[in-house]
Amino acid sequence: MSTRSAELPLDFAVPSSTLVCVADGDAGVREGVRALLGTLGADVHGYATGGELLASLEVELPACVIADVSLPDMSGLELMAELRRRGIRVPTILLSSDAEVSGAVDAMRAGALDFIEKPYVDRALLNQVAPLLK
Amino acid sequence: MKEKPATVFVVDDDDAVRTSLRLLLKSVGLPVETHASAQEFLDAFDPDRAGCLVLDIRMPGMSGLELQQKLNDLHAIIPIVFITGHGDVPMAVEAMQHGAVDFIQKPFRDQDLIDRINQALEKDRENRAGLRERDAIRRRMEELTPREREVLELVTQGKANKVIAGDLNVSQRTVEIHRARVMEKMGASSLAHLVRMVIEAERVN
């Protein structure tokens, strides 16, 4: 038997086909994403920090993770690295309000499904998330 | 097999950029060929020429992204370094999703571009070595007799000699002999090695 710790929750976590987890320090963005993806039938859970989102994965695995590139407690890239370290393979979309090509390239290299600039989130997000929901 | 030296293909609609990149790349000893449009590059494109492509993402006519798409449709393996402007994030993301190896944002330092080009050329060398290896495996597979190919197929499906003998309605000893010949002709050191070669041979670009 492997030892079970809070960091290795996967034996218990239940994969969901409708859950989308959003981490963004801005409550307005979380609400916006909730309203937007609600139209696809997604069950959207919002978290203000990367730490809170990671903790939630001990219970249920989402169909998709959406995170701001700069969260209050970590960067979006750090969040992706932590997901990888825990062996959690979940499609991850990063949001950014900074138009640097290098940041977008780094995110895509790290395996992000998409990197979306904040003013243009709506349509791009719908296009990416819809196929991930059952 | 001696290859021609790798060429850096520069595609940019701006005359000044083409001229300065030509001088820069020549100054570090890299063979360079410039094209003023994506279409012009495509017309001259030869998949057997080693090198990398330095491609402006925004151009009148066929854009850099459209050229990338066309090259992907041709299963071209040439690595692409895109030149982008500030704020070209959506285009950069799309290019990454379609396999671009790198990006450089204008204005850039010469050395940064040269570093990225050298990495792309290294990637091209690896890709081409992989293709040569795949061709060699395919050639060896073609040397197999029809019966040996059947045995190869069944062996790589994980079937035991006894089962294969039943499938082909021959003795187990005969299967063992065919199997040994397959391993020898393919140059396989183990069953796992043989399976890897078959997977490699069946891969498309």
Side-chain angles (χ1 to χ4, degrees):
Chain A
M1 270 309 281
S2 62
T3 51
R4 205 184 297 286
S5 76
E7 282 198 343
L8 297 167
L10 291 180
D11 295 349
F12 281 144
V14 181
S16 164
S17 57
T18 54
L19 178 64
V20 174
C21 290
V22 182
D24 198 300
D26 182 340
V29 171
R30 298 198 299 273
E31 264 320 301
V33 171
R34 188 197 307 276
L36 180 74
L37 297 184
T39 64
L40 295 175
D43 185 15
V44 181
H45 290 187
Y47 304 94
T49 65
E52 286 170 44
L53 184 143
L54 288 167
S56 80
L57 301 180
E58 288 164 29
V59 183
E60 200 170 21
L61 285 180
C64 170
V65 164
I66 298 168
D68 189 68
V69 287
S70 40
L71 295 163
D73 57 339
M74 65 180 75
S75 72
L77 283 179
E78 284 166 341
L79 176 65
M80 287 180 69
E82 186 56 27
L83 289 170
R84 235 185 353 264
R85 198 182 69 76
R86 297 185 186 197
I88 300 174
R89 290 167 172 273
V90 56
T92 304
I93 297 168
L94 294 186
L95 309 179
S96 169
S97 32
D98 165 21
E100 283 300 320
V101 170
S102 58
V105 170
D106 288 345
M108 297 305 288
R109 280 234 169 89
L113 177 67
D114 205 346
F115 181 97
I116 304 172
E117 287 180 281
K118 270 195 171 155
Y120 316 111
V121 164
D122 286 15
R123 178 192 293 260
L125 210 47
L126 287 174
N127 287 342
Q128 286 291 6
V129 177
L132 301 174
L133 303 172
K134 296 280 156 57
Chain B
M1 226 185 309
K2 189 75 188 153
E3 280 200 17
K4 280 195 270 185
T7 305
V8 181
F9 299 92
V10 174
V11 179
D12 197 306
D13 60 302
D14 185 331
D15 293 344
V17 171
R18 287 199 309 280
T19 306
S20 73
L21 290 185
R22 180 193 290 279
L23 292 174
L24 170 67
L25 297 174
K26 276 192 163 175
S27 76
V28 293
L30 288 168
V32 55
E33 199 176 293
T34 64
H35 295 279
S37 74
Q39 189 61 54
E40 188 188 305
F41 170 79
L42 206 53
D43 291 342
F45 178 63
D46 172 0
D48 292 331
R49 288 185 69 185
C52 74
L53 176 56
V54 176
L55 179 57
D56 189 5
I57 206 161
R58 280 180 194 267
M59 284 185 293
M62 193 191 300
S63 73
L65 284 177
E66 285 165 337
L67 176 58
Q68 179 189 33
Q69 194 56 57
K70 286 207 156 53
L71 290 169
N72 283 344
D73 291 344
L74 295 169
H75 301 295
I77 58 165
I78 188 166
I80 303 177
V81 177
F82 276 102
I83 300 180
T84 70
H86 181 79
D88 282 345
V89 168
M91 279 193 278
V93 169
E94 195 183 335
M96 283 300 282
Q97 286 168 334
H98 293 111
V101 298
D102 218 334
F103 289 79
I104 190 150
Q105 188 173 317
K106 285 185 283 197
F108 48 80
R109 285 174 49 238
D110 289 352
Q111 191 55 48
D112 283 344
L113 179 65
I114 290 166
D115 290 346
R116 283 172 165 81
I117 286 173
N118 279 323
Q119 283 162 17
L121 291 173
E122 178 56 32
K123 176 133 173 76
D124 187 60
R125 272 191 292 277
E126 285 168 18
N127 289 345
R128 283 173 196 282
L131 281 183
R132 277 196 300 276
E133 169 69 12
R134 196 178 310 166
D135 285 346
I137 293 169
R138 285 179 182 160
R139 274 198 301 278
R140 275 177 268 161
M141 280 175 82
E142 282 164 14
E143 300 284 306
L144 300 178
T145 65
R147 186 33 73 92
E148 284 165 354
R149 221 167 297 168
E150 276 179 306
V151 171
L152 170 69
E153 174 82 6
L154 295 167
V155 163
T156 53
Q157 281 170 14
K159 290 192 176 171
N161 288 351
K162 203 166 129 186
V163 178
I164 297 172
D167 283 358
L168 298 179
N169 205 15
V170 296
S171 74
Q172 206 171 315
R173 177 72 193 133
T174 304
V175 173
E176 282 164 16
I177 292 167
H178 284 311
R179 187 175 176 148
R181 288 285 293 155
V182 168
M183 297 289 284
E184 190 197 324
K185 283 186 176 178
M186 293 299 294
S189 55
S190 65
L191 178 59
H193 186 200
L194 187 67
V195 171
R196 277 200 303 277
M197 286 196 282
V198 170
I199 292 171
E200 183 63 31
E202 285 169 357
R203 237 172 62 186
V204 199
N205 285 348

